[in-house]
Amino acid sequence: MYNVYFYNRRDLLLCQLLQQVPTEGQNLTIKGRKIKVSTVQNMDEKYYVDVTFEAVKKGKASGADPSKKKKK
């Protein structure tokens, strides 16, 4: 079992005891969001994992058609 600390920049996201340590470039899901492992550092049997979040793409709302506006 390994102590793994997940960081986004300097913000602590999650601490977990894991069977396997994530590798660089691996895709994971934490708190319902997709992340990619940037770096993994080992210090005194603790693993510090830097991650980056995948950009969330926002689409247009289906009811945003300007021709269907309410008439006064």
Side-chain angles (χ1 to χ4, degrees):
M1 297 294 270
Y2 303 103
N3 289 330
V4 181
Y5 297 88
F6 291 95
Y7 284 94
N8 181 24
R9 297 181 187 156
R10 294 184 182 230
D11 298 327
L12 179 64
L13 297 174
L14 181 67
C15 300
Q16 275 188 327
L17 280 174
L18 296 175
Q19 295 281 343
Q20 297 178 351
V21 178
T23 58
E24 292 184 22
Q26 184 177 1
N27 294 323
L28 298 172
T29 303
I30 292 180
K31 295 186 177 181
R33 297 191 58 194
K34 294 180 183 178
I35 62 167
K36 186 169 188 174
V37 176
S38 301
T39 60
V40 178
Q41 298 175 353
N42 181 8
M43 294 184 190
D44 300 326
E45 297 186 19
K46 295 180 184 176
Y47 289 87
Y48 297 97
V49 179
D50 292 325
V51 298
T52 54
F53 284 107
E54 188 175 295
V56 177
K57 297 178 184 177
K58 294 184 179 179
K60 290 186 176 181
S62 61
D65 190 13
S67 64
K68 295 185 178 181
K69 288 185 177 180
K70 287 186 177 180
K71 296 182 181 180
K72 295 182 181 182

